[in-house]
Amino acid sequence: MTDQQPTDAPLHGLRPRRTRRTPALRAFVRETSLDVSQLIHPLFIVEGTGVKKPIETMPGHAQLSVDQLEGELREILPLGIRSVLLFGIPSRKDAAGAGAWDPQGPVPKAIRELKRLAPGLLVIADVCLCEYTAHGHCGIVHDQSGVVDNDATLPLLGRTAVAYAAAGADIVAPSAMMDGQVAAIRSALDVAGFLDTPILSYAAKHASAFYGPFRGAAESTPAFGDRRAYQMDPANARETLVEVQLDVDEGADLLMVKPAGSALDIIRQVRDAFPHPLVAYQVSGEYAMLKAASQRGWLDEPRAAIESLVAIRRAGADQVITYYAKEVARWLSTAE
Ligand code: PBG
């Protein structure tokens, strides 16, 4: 009988594999997209000219002097990268981190150069003092105890943000984890006339071991103590809502979670609780792990890197800061 079904096969069995059979079906049901327009490319700017000093712990990245930015743009613009995040490494450091707000410092100079060469590129400037203080802490310290004076640091962060806005930064991104820093920066920007400069707040930032390679790159390892008295305990998640709510109340326009790969639950929590644009930072240690294993042949690098970024997007990030931006842009353009 032709209308008789074999009894050992389910009639209407749920078979999720049906939609995985071909590349076309898989692409059709894919829930999360990854596009080069969602990647933010970090740059480390040093003083001087002709400097392109490779960063050992972050293969593929180098400290660059401002004159090298033209070459960098020639690489990233054709790849479709639309945004960069700037960090500065001054040649001189002091107790207050005065280099941070020097209009002739590496970051303001880099902002002006990028805006001259590529006005449409989105330039985000990290606002912190750790690269500029001799002790490597993110704010003012009065002694070797490593205790950062929160309120004495706030006006300095405000000045720094104003210097970057004045140079033409599209967005300022405070990462010092001082209480009240978003409010302090907002009022400093407003008083200086930069009412339209948005603040991307590193709202939830763990005191993470995964920042290790960055501190080599930015020469910002604390000379004593650590950052656990101002950055969040990686064991905490609920505290995120307190941190983020405060930053939103203080005027944050965009939010960031950092690190990303070890804080996917935090990204999801912020995504669900706040409607703001959300950025996640795949930090230096996440990059270094993927790179090192790939270099040993232990991982398929393009697949592993893309999977890690898709996971961050799936957790709820709109944009991802990643040291893989250039490579992933290339891999995405050749992927099926
Ligand atoms: C500055 C800052 C750090 C990172 C971004 N901004 C270092 C830190 O907090 O110690 C780390 C980024 C990375 O690891 O890629 N406060």
Side-chain angles (χ1 to χ4, degrees):
M1 296 273 289
T2 47
D3 59 352
Q4 190 77 43
Q5 297 289 337
T7 49
D8 53 352
L11 280 175
H12 326 281
L14 282 173
R15 286 176 171 260
R17 283 184 54 182
R18 285 185 189 122
T19 51
R20 294 177 198 147
R21 204 168 44 78
T22 66
L25 277 166
R26 289 194 291 273
F28 191 69
V29 300
R30 189 161 295 134
E31 298 173 24
T32 308
S33 67
L34 183 66
D35 186 82
V36 61
S37 63
Q38 298 152 346
L39 307 179
I40 302 168
H41 177 55
L43 291 169
F44 296 94
I45 313 296
V46 287
E47 290 175 9
T49 49
V51 184
K52 189 168 186 173
K53 187 177 164 206
I55 300 165
E56 205 188 321
T57 49
M58 297 164 65
H61 284 264
Q63 296 180 343
L64 302 174
S65 52
V66 169
D67 60 297
Q68 301 296 303
L69 290 173
E70 194 168 352
E72 189 68 18
L73 287 173
R74 234 178 270 132
E75 247 187 276
I76 66 172
L77 295 177
L79 287 171
I81 292 174
R82 297 178 194 172
S83 55
V84 295
L85 172 65
L86 301 184
F87 295 97
I89 302 122
S91 48
R92 272 163 291 97
K93 301 179 188 239
D94 63 24
W101 58 87
D102 178 358
Q104 297 307 320
V107 168
K109 273 190 181 162
I111 296 168
R112 290 192 292 269
E113 182 69 353
L114 289 168
K115 283 286 152 189
R116 185 178 73 81
L117 295 168
L121 182 76
L122 189 92
V123 178
I124 308 171
D126 184 271
V127 176
C128 195
L129 301 183
C130 62
E131 299 98 328
Y132 303 90
T133 52
H135 44 70
H137 277 289
C138 300
I140 296 287
V141 298
H142 299 296
D143 54 46
Q144 300 281 307
S145 67
V147 175
V148 175
D149 185 336
N150 191 89
D151 295 10
T153 303
L154 297 179
L156 308 183
L157 295 172
R159 278 174 87 161
T160 304
V162 168
Y164 300 164
D170 294 293
I171 294 177
V172 291
S175 66
M177 286 298 279
M178 294 300 123
D179 290 337
Q181 64 180 11
V182 173
I185 288 172
R186 183 71 271 156
S187 63
L189 288 170
D190 290 353
V191 167
F194 299 107
L195 285 89
D196 291 328
T197 302
I199 299 176
L200 163 58
S201 158
Y202 284 68
K205 176 172 172 181
H206 283 150
S208 172
F210 293 109
Y211 308 153
F214 171 96
R215 292 182 188 169
E219 299 168 15
S220 64
T221 306
F224 47 84
D226 57 42
R227 304 206 203 291
R228 282 182 276 196
Y230 42 105
Q231 299 178 349
M232 274 173 61
D233 186 337
N236 291 1
R238 295 194 307 268
E239 191 184 348
T240 303
L241 294 177
V242 177
E243 279 285 357
V244 177
Q245 187 67 59
L246 280 170
D247 285 12
V248 166
D249 292 346
E250 291 176 28
D253 303 284
L254 311 94
L255 301 170
M256 195 197 301
V257 171
K258 174 184 168 198
S262 58
L264 295 174
D265 58 322
I266 311 281
I267 297 172
R268 170 49 54 193
Q269 208 183 341
V270 177
R271 169 75 300 148
D272 288 345
F274 297 89
H276 301 66
L278 180 58
V279 178
Y281 199 145
Q282 183 182 52
V283 299
S284 56
E286 299 177 66
Y287 176 76
M289 286 193 296
L290 288 163
K291 264 287 164 207
S294 301
Q295 285 181 344
R296 292 184 174 212
W298 292 351
L299 281 175
D300 175 338
E301 188 173 25
R303 287 192 59 200
I306 289 172
E307 184 175 326
S308 69
L309 292 168
V310 167
I312 294 164
R313 290 259 310 128
R314 192 189 67 231
D318 299 307
Q319 294 275 332
V320 189
I321 302 164
T322 175
Y323 301 99
Y324 266 115
K326 284 202 275 195
E327 282 162 291
V328 165
R330 280 188 203 104
W331 294 329
L332 287 177
S333 68
T334 55
E336 70 173 38

